[in-house]
Short mmCIF file of all heavy atoms in Angstrom, two decimals:
data_model
loop_
_atom_site.label_atom_id
_atom_site.label_comp_id
_atom_site.label_asym_id
_atom_site.label_seq_id
_atom_site.Cartn_x
_atom_site.Cartn_y
_atom_site.Cartn_z
N GLU A 1 12.09 84.57 26.63
CA GLU A 1 12.64 83.33 25.93
C GLU A 1 13.83 82.70 26.64
O GLU A 1 14.78 82.25 25.96
CB GLU A 1 13.03 83.73 24.44
CG GLU A 1 11.76 84.30 23.69
CD GLU A 1 11.90 84.69 22.27
OE1 GLU A 1 13.19 84.37 21.87
OE2 GLU A 1 11.14 85.23 21.62
N LEU A 2 13.83 82.76 28.02
CA LEU A 2 14.85 82.04 28.77
C LEU A 2 14.73 80.57 28.40
O LEU A 2 13.76 79.97 28.21
CB LEU A 2 14.58 82.20 30.21
CG LEU A 2 14.94 83.49 30.89
CD1 LEU A 2 14.45 83.47 32.31
CD2 LEU A 2 16.48 83.69 30.84
N ASP A 3 16.01 80.02 28.34
CA ASP A 3 16.04 78.54 28.14
C ASP A 3 15.92 77.77 29.51
O ASP A 3 16.13 78.34 30.57
CB ASP A 3 17.36 78.08 27.33
CG ASP A 3 18.53 78.31 28.04
OD1 ASP A 3 18.75 78.11 29.31
OD2 ASP A 3 19.51 78.82 27.35
N VAL A 4 15.64 76.54 29.39
CA VAL A 4 15.40 75.75 30.60
C VAL A 4 16.63 75.81 31.58
O VAL A 4 16.38 75.87 32.85
CB VAL A 4 14.98 74.37 30.19
CG1 VAL A 4 14.95 73.37 31.52
CG2 VAL A 4 13.66 74.27 29.63
N GLN A 5 17.83 75.55 31.00
CA GLN A 5 18.93 75.58 31.90
C GLN A 5 19.12 76.80 32.67
O GLN A 5 19.49 76.79 33.88
CB GLN A 5 20.27 75.30 31.03
CG GLN A 5 21.47 74.97 32.02
CD GLN A 5 21.17 73.83 32.89
OE1 GLN A 5 20.88 72.73 32.60
NE2 GLN A 5 21.43 74.07 34.25
N LYS A 6 18.87 77.93 32.09
CA LYS A 6 19.00 79.25 32.79
C LYS A 6 17.84 79.28 33.93
O LYS A 6 18.23 79.80 35.07
CB LYS A 6 18.82 80.51 31.90
CG LYS A 6 20.01 80.66 31.03
CD LYS A 6 19.86 82.00 30.21
CE LYS A 6 21.18 82.20 29.48
NZ LYS A 6 21.31 81.29 28.24
N ILE A 7 16.69 78.77 33.69
CA ILE A 7 15.63 78.67 34.61
C ILE A 7 16.15 77.83 35.83
O ILE A 7 15.99 78.25 36.96
CB ILE A 7 14.44 78.15 33.95
CG1 ILE A 7 13.88 79.05 32.95
CG2 ILE A 7 13.34 77.94 35.06
CD1 ILE A 7 12.77 78.62 32.08
N LYS A 8 16.76 76.83 35.59
CA LYS A 8 17.19 75.86 36.60
C LYS A 8 18.31 76.52 37.41
O LYS A 8 18.38 76.40 38.62
CB LYS A 8 17.64 74.50 36.03
CG LYS A 8 16.56 73.71 35.42
CD LYS A 8 17.08 72.40 34.96
CE LYS A 8 15.93 71.50 34.42
NZ LYS A 8 16.46 70.17 33.84
N ASN A 9 19.15 77.25 36.73
CA ASN A 9 20.27 77.85 37.48
C ASN A 9 19.77 78.93 38.49
O ASN A 9 20.38 79.21 39.39
CB ASN A 9 21.25 78.62 36.55
CG ASN A 9 22.00 77.58 35.68
OD1 ASN A 9 22.10 76.37 35.93
ND2 ASN A 9 22.65 78.03 34.53
N MET A 10 18.62 79.54 38.19
CA MET A 10 18.01 80.54 39.08
C MET A 10 17.20 79.90 40.15
O MET A 10 16.67 80.68 41.00
CB MET A 10 17.27 81.49 38.17
CG MET A 10 18.05 82.45 37.39
SD MET A 10 17.06 83.69 36.53
CE MET A 10 16.17 82.73 35.37
N GLY A 11 17.15 78.66 40.17
CA GLY A 11 16.36 77.97 41.27
C GLY A 11 14.88 78.07 41.20
O GLY A 11 14.12 78.07 42.10
N VAL A 12 14.33 78.41 39.96
CA VAL A 12 12.86 78.54 39.81
C VAL A 12 12.24 77.57 38.74
O VAL A 12 11.15 77.93 38.25
CB VAL A 12 12.61 80.02 39.47
CG1 VAL A 12 13.05 81.08 40.57
CG2 VAL A 12 13.24 80.42 38.18
N TYR A 13 12.93 76.43 38.61
CA TYR A 13 12.37 75.41 37.68
C TYR A 13 11.18 74.77 38.40
O TYR A 13 11.22 74.40 39.48
CB TYR A 13 13.35 74.50 37.33
CG TYR A 13 12.91 73.48 36.30
CD1 TYR A 13 12.51 73.85 34.96
CD2 TYR A 13 12.88 72.07 36.51
CE1 TYR A 13 12.11 72.99 34.14
CE2 TYR A 13 12.47 71.21 35.63
CZ TYR A 13 12.11 71.63 34.35
OH TYR A 13 11.62 70.71 33.39
N ASN A 14 9.99 74.74 37.62
CA ASN A 14 8.85 74.28 38.16
C ASN A 14 8.77 72.71 38.20
O ASN A 14 8.28 72.03 37.19
CB ASN A 14 7.63 74.76 37.35
CG ASN A 14 6.38 74.54 37.98
OD1 ASN A 14 6.15 73.97 39.05
ND2 ASN A 14 5.25 75.08 37.30
N ASN A 15 9.43 72.06 39.18
CA ASN A 15 9.56 70.62 39.15
C ASN A 15 8.15 69.91 39.12
O ASN A 15 7.99 68.75 38.66
CB ASN A 15 10.35 70.21 40.34
CG ASN A 15 11.84 70.58 40.28
OD1 ASN A 15 12.47 70.37 39.25
ND2 ASN A 15 12.33 71.17 41.29
N GLU A 16 7.19 70.63 39.80
CA GLU A 16 5.78 70.04 39.89
C GLU A 16 5.17 69.92 38.55
O GLU A 16 4.36 68.90 38.36
CB GLU A 16 5.04 70.79 40.76
CG GLU A 16 5.32 70.85 42.25
CD GLU A 16 6.32 71.92 42.53
OE1 GLU A 16 6.97 72.47 41.66
OE2 GLU A 16 6.63 72.16 43.72
N MET A 17 5.54 70.68 37.56
CA MET A 17 4.92 70.53 36.18
C MET A 17 5.92 70.42 35.19
O MET A 17 5.93 71.04 34.03
CB MET A 17 4.09 71.88 35.96
CG MET A 17 2.80 71.86 36.70
SD MET A 17 1.72 70.49 36.31
CE MET A 17 1.47 70.73 34.56
N ASN A 18 7.10 69.67 35.46
CA ASN A 18 8.19 69.62 34.55
C ASN A 18 8.06 68.83 33.30
O ASN A 18 9.01 68.67 32.50
CB ASN A 18 9.49 69.19 35.30
CG ASN A 18 9.24 67.71 35.72
OD1 ASN A 18 8.33 66.94 35.35
ND2 ASN A 18 10.31 67.18 36.47
N MET A 19 6.78 68.34 33.04
CA MET A 19 6.55 67.59 31.77
C MET A 19 5.79 68.40 30.73
O MET A 19 5.66 68.03 29.62
CB MET A 19 5.78 66.30 31.93
CG MET A 19 6.67 65.20 32.67
SD MET A 19 5.85 63.61 32.64
CE MET A 19 5.89 63.28 30.88
N VAL A 20 5.29 69.63 31.18
CA VAL A 20 4.50 70.46 30.32
C VAL A 20 5.15 71.80 29.79
O VAL A 20 5.58 72.51 30.68
CB VAL A 20 3.17 70.81 30.93
CG1 VAL A 20 2.21 71.51 30.04
CG2 VAL A 20 2.48 69.54 31.51
N ALA A 21 5.38 71.81 28.52
CA ALA A 21 6.04 72.99 28.08
C ALA A 21 5.24 74.24 28.28
O ALA A 21 3.97 74.31 28.13
CB ALA A 21 6.27 72.87 26.46
N GLY A 22 5.94 75.35 28.53
CA GLY A 22 5.24 76.61 28.87
C GLY A 22 5.04 76.85 30.38
O GLY A 22 4.77 78.04 30.80
N TYR A 23 5.20 75.85 31.25
CA TYR A 23 5.01 76.02 32.63
C TYR A 23 6.33 75.82 33.42
O TYR A 23 6.36 75.45 34.63
CB TYR A 23 4.01 74.95 33.12
CG TYR A 23 2.69 75.16 32.61
CD1 TYR A 23 2.19 74.64 31.34
CD2 TYR A 23 1.71 75.83 33.42
CE1 TYR A 23 0.99 74.90 30.86
CE2 TYR A 23 0.37 75.96 32.94
CZ TYR A 23 -0.01 75.48 31.66
OH TYR A 23 -1.25 75.64 31.21
N GLU A 24 7.42 76.06 32.69
CA GLU A 24 8.77 75.75 33.36
C GLU A 24 9.08 76.76 34.54
O GLU A 24 9.78 76.27 35.52
CB GLU A 24 9.89 75.86 32.28
CG GLU A 24 9.78 74.62 31.37
CD GLU A 24 8.95 75.01 30.11
OE1 GLU A 24 8.26 76.06 30.17
OE2 GLU A 24 8.97 74.26 29.06
N VAL A 25 8.75 77.98 34.49
CA VAL A 25 9.10 78.93 35.50
C VAL A 25 8.11 78.84 36.79
O VAL A 25 6.88 78.99 36.53
CB VAL A 25 9.14 80.34 34.91
CG1 VAL A 25 9.34 81.32 36.05
CG2 VAL A 25 10.14 80.48 33.85
N LYS A 26 8.65 78.75 37.89
CA LYS A 26 7.90 78.81 39.14
C LYS A 26 7.94 80.21 39.64
O LYS A 26 8.98 80.74 40.05
CB LYS A 26 8.55 77.88 40.12
CG LYS A 26 7.65 77.56 41.37
CD LYS A 26 8.30 76.35 42.17
CE LYS A 26 7.24 76.03 43.21
NZ LYS A 26 7.93 74.87 44.03
N PRO A 27 6.75 80.93 39.53
CA PRO A 27 6.74 82.30 39.77
C PRO A 27 7.43 82.69 41.21
O PRO A 27 7.09 82.15 42.26
CB PRO A 27 5.29 82.77 39.84
CG PRO A 27 4.67 81.76 38.92
CD PRO A 27 5.49 80.56 39.10
N THR A 28 8.44 83.62 41.15
CA THR A 28 9.17 83.85 42.34
C THR A 28 9.66 85.38 42.34
O THR A 28 9.96 85.93 41.24
CB THR A 28 10.46 83.08 42.28
OG1 THR A 28 10.12 81.59 42.19
CG2 THR A 28 11.36 83.23 43.59
N PHE A 29 9.80 85.96 43.42
CA PHE A 29 10.46 87.32 43.71
C PHE A 29 11.83 87.06 44.25
O PHE A 29 11.83 86.37 45.36
CB PHE A 29 9.66 88.27 44.41
CG PHE A 29 8.56 88.89 43.59
CD1 PHE A 29 7.22 88.65 43.99
CD2 PHE A 29 8.85 89.72 42.57
CE1 PHE A 29 6.11 89.42 43.26
CE2 PHE A 29 7.89 90.40 41.83
CZ PHE A 29 6.52 90.15 42.15
N TYR A 30 12.83 87.62 43.84
CA TYR A 30 14.14 87.79 44.63
C TYR A 30 14.40 89.25 44.72
O TYR A 30 14.01 90.08 43.95
CB TYR A 30 15.23 87.19 43.73
CG TYR A 30 15.30 85.66 43.74
CD1 TYR A 30 15.44 84.94 42.38
CD2 TYR A 30 15.48 84.97 44.79
CE1 TYR A 30 15.55 83.57 42.29
CE2 TYR A 30 15.63 83.49 44.70
CZ TYR A 30 15.58 82.87 43.52
OH TYR A 30 15.74 81.56 43.32
N LEU A 31 15.14 89.51 45.87
CA LEU A 31 15.73 90.91 46.04
C LEU A 31 17.28 90.52 46.13
O LEU A 31 17.67 89.73 47.03
CB LEU A 31 15.20 91.47 47.21
CG LEU A 31 15.71 92.98 47.60
CD1 LEU A 31 15.21 93.83 46.45
CD2 LEU A 31 15.24 93.38 48.97
N VAL A 32 18.03 91.29 45.37
CA VAL A 32 19.49 91.02 45.32
C VAL A 32 20.14 92.37 45.45
O VAL A 32 19.62 93.46 45.11
CB VAL A 32 19.93 90.30 44.07
CG1 VAL A 32 19.26 88.98 43.95
CG2 VAL A 32 19.77 91.07 42.84
N ASP A 33 21.42 92.36 45.91
CA ASP A 33 22.20 93.62 45.95
C ASP A 33 22.91 93.87 44.63
O ASP A 33 22.96 93.12 43.74
CB ASP A 33 22.99 93.65 47.27
CG ASP A 33 24.20 92.57 47.20
OD1 ASP A 33 24.44 92.06 46.13
OD2 ASP A 33 24.72 92.41 48.30
N SER A 34 23.76 94.90 44.71
CA SER A 34 24.48 95.33 43.51
C SER A 34 25.68 94.26 43.14
O SER A 34 26.07 94.33 42.02
CB SER A 34 25.15 96.70 43.65
OG SER A 34 26.02 96.61 44.70
N ASN A 35 26.00 93.41 44.03
CA ASN A 35 26.91 92.38 43.77
C ASN A 35 26.19 91.11 43.30
O ASN A 35 26.90 90.08 43.01
CB ASN A 35 27.86 92.11 44.98
CG ASN A 35 28.76 93.32 45.36
OD1 ASN A 35 29.31 93.97 44.40
ND2 ASN A 35 28.72 93.64 46.70
N GLY A 36 24.94 91.10 43.19
CA GLY A 36 24.20 89.87 42.83
C GLY A 36 24.02 88.94 44.03
O GLY A 36 23.58 87.80 43.77
N THR A 37 24.14 89.36 45.18
CA THR A 37 23.92 88.46 46.38
C THR A 37 22.42 88.53 46.76
O THR A 37 21.81 89.57 46.88
CB THR A 37 24.71 89.09 47.58
OG1 THR A 37 26.15 89.14 47.31
CG2 THR A 37 24.51 88.06 48.81
N VAL A 38 21.87 87.31 46.94
CA VAL A 38 20.41 87.20 47.21
C VAL A 38 20.15 87.62 48.74
O VAL A 38 20.90 87.20 49.65
CB VAL A 38 19.99 85.71 47.07
CG1 VAL A 38 18.58 85.65 47.60
CG2 VAL A 38 20.18 85.35 45.60
N LEU A 39 19.30 88.61 48.82
CA LEU A 39 19.02 89.08 50.16
C LEU A 39 17.64 88.65 50.64
O LEU A 39 17.51 88.58 51.93
CB LEU A 39 18.93 90.71 50.16
CG LEU A 39 20.18 91.39 49.59
CD1 LEU A 39 19.81 92.88 49.42
CD2 LEU A 39 21.30 91.21 50.55
N TRP A 40 16.75 88.29 49.76
CA TRP A 40 15.41 87.77 50.08
C TRP A 40 14.82 87.05 49.00
O TRP A 40 15.10 87.29 47.82
CB TRP A 40 14.60 89.05 50.54
CG TRP A 40 13.14 88.82 50.82
CD1 TRP A 40 12.74 88.44 52.04
CD2 TRP A 40 11.93 88.95 49.92
NE1 TRP A 40 11.15 88.23 51.80
CE2 TRP A 40 10.90 88.70 50.60
CE3 TRP A 40 11.95 89.34 48.54
CZ2 TRP A 40 9.65 88.73 50.00
CZ3 TRP A 40 10.77 89.33 48.03
CH2 TRP A 40 9.59 89.13 48.63
N CYS A 41 13.89 86.01 49.39
CA CYS A 41 13.08 85.42 48.42
C CYS A 41 11.70 85.37 48.92
O CYS A 41 11.50 85.11 50.15
CB CYS A 41 13.65 84.10 48.02
SG CYS A 41 12.65 82.97 47.03
N ASP A 42 10.71 85.36 48.06
CA ASP A 42 9.30 85.25 48.56
C ASP A 42 8.77 83.92 48.69
O ASP A 42 7.55 83.86 49.09
CB ASP A 42 8.39 86.17 47.62
CG ASP A 42 8.02 85.36 46.34
OD1 ASP A 42 8.92 84.50 45.87
OD2 ASP A 42 7.06 85.67 45.75
N ASP A 43 9.48 82.89 48.43
CA ASP A 43 9.05 81.47 48.56
C ASP A 43 7.85 81.20 47.77
O ASP A 43 6.87 80.55 48.26
CB ASP A 43 8.81 81.16 50.13
CG ASP A 43 8.72 79.64 50.34
OD1 ASP A 43 9.24 78.96 49.52
OD2 ASP A 43 7.95 79.28 51.39
N HIS A 44 7.77 81.70 46.61
CA HIS A 44 6.74 81.58 45.62
C HIS A 44 5.33 81.84 46.10
O HIS A 44 4.43 81.05 45.91
CB HIS A 44 6.69 80.00 45.12
CG HIS A 44 8.16 79.35 45.07
ND1 HIS A 44 9.03 79.90 44.13
CD2 HIS A 44 8.79 78.42 45.78
CE1 HIS A 44 10.13 79.15 44.20
NE2 HIS A 44 10.05 78.32 45.24
N LEU A 45 5.18 82.97 46.65
CA LEU A 45 3.86 83.41 47.18
C LEU A 45 2.74 83.29 46.15
O LEU A 45 1.63 82.96 46.41
CB LEU A 45 4.03 84.83 47.75
CG LEU A 45 4.70 85.00 48.99
CD1 LEU A 45 4.85 86.41 49.47
CD2 LEU A 45 4.15 84.08 50.16
#
């Protein structure tokens, strides 16, 4: 139940389908360290 603003803050908002409710999250994997630093992203495989 994430809200849209949190989805946008994480960089995974589905701009391609941004008019249809339920499709807001663009599937993504991140790998981050213990400080929250992004080490890797899968580029929406």
